[in-house]
Amino acid sequence: DLIARGEDEAAIRLIQSLNYQIDATNVEHFAENAMVDSALAVYVQQAREKNIPIDVKIDTPSAFAAEVDFALLLSNLLENAIHAEEREAEAARDIRVRARTAGDSIFLSIENRCSISVRLSANGLPCRESYAAEHGYGTRSIEIFTKKYHAEFFTEQKDGYFRFLIQIPLNQGSENHS
């Protein structure tokens, strides 16, 4: 209507205003899989709100048998990483999330800066700290996930980072743990 009336400048201003509103509502996407994408969106936002730099590069199938449990595992690991980063100096904070599909497996790596020594249990998972009564469920969920999906994980603390790496076979059926 504005263009038809010869009000080109007003039409351009209106279009720019609408573009700005559309850009403001854009949702950042991280993964093709909707469950994984949703989990990442929540925790990336949390990290950013706490001034924790987070770098995410994810390549997972758009659908796979373990997607719900994988998204829950990812959420648990990211929550732990964010809590750990809150104890780090703000200038030293960093979280990196990588996942890729290779062959019949998904490989996931989450690493975060960690300047304090982490006590690991015999299975390689961090031990619950005595002052953190609400913690401990995360390590149990990792154990359940690895058993259910025949996954293998590895942890290490090296070069100022704590790393959690896990390989999840895509072609394995899960065991029924009902």
Side-chain angles (χ1 to χ4, degrees):
D1 186 45
L2 291 172
I3 293 172
R5 290 185 297 180
E7 298 180 40
D8 295 342
E9 290 296 318
I12 290 172
R13 283 193 306 275
L14 176 63
I15 291 169
Q16 288 172 334
S17 171
L18 292 173
N19 282 341
Y20 176 77
Q21 291 174 18
I22 290 169
D23 288 344
T25 61
N26 273 348
V27 176
E28 191 174 6
H29 291 284
F30 302 95
E32 190 174 330
N33 182 281
M35 295 294 293
V36 174
D37 189 56
S38 295
L40 284 166
V42 168
Y43 287 97
V44 166
Q45 180 180 346
Q46 277 186 25
R48 289 177 179 162
E49 287 172 357
K50 295 177 181 199
N51 295 318
I52 300 169
I54 184 166
D55 182 34
V56 178
K57 290 184 177 50
I58 296 283
D59 170 31
T60 59
S62 58
F64 56 102
E67 67 186 22
V68 173
D69 290 335
F70 181 86
L72 292 170
L73 174 74
L74 184 59
S75 297
N76 172 43
L77 293 168
L78 285 171
E79 184 175 355
N80 291 347
I82 290 169
H83 285 306
E85 290 312 283
E86 289 177 305
R87 294 190 298 263
E88 295 294 319
E90 198 164 317
R93 296 175 176 180
D94 185 33
I95 298 174
R96 297 180 200 153
V97 182
R98 303 286 186 266
R100 68 180 177 90
T101 304
D104 338 345
S105 293
I106 295 175
F107 296 87
L108 171 67
S109 166
I110 297 183
E111 54 185 40
N112 57 276
R113 298 285 294 179
C114 190
S115 59
I116 60 168
S117 182
V118 176
R119 252 181 352 114
L120 299 178
S121 66
N123 66 3
L125 292 172
C127 294
R128 182 180 75 136
E129 299 298 332
S130 58
Y131 63 84
E134 75 279 4
H135 294 287
Y137 301 112
T139 56
R140 183 73 183 124
S141 70
I142 293 167
E143 291 168 339
I144 291 169
F145 180 91
T146 57
K147 185 174 181 184
K148 182 176 181 179
Y149 294 102
H150 309 284
E152 297 287 334
F153 70 88
F154 172 77
T155 59
E156 74 173 352
Q157 186 173 5
K158 185 177 175 184
D159 302 328
Y161 280 88
F162 180 83
R163 293 176 179 88
F164 178 87
L165 303 105
I166 188 167
Q167 177 260 334
I168 302 117
L170 291 172
N171 61 355
Q172 296 265 344
S174 68
E175 296 174 7
N176 186 358
H177 288 285
S178 303

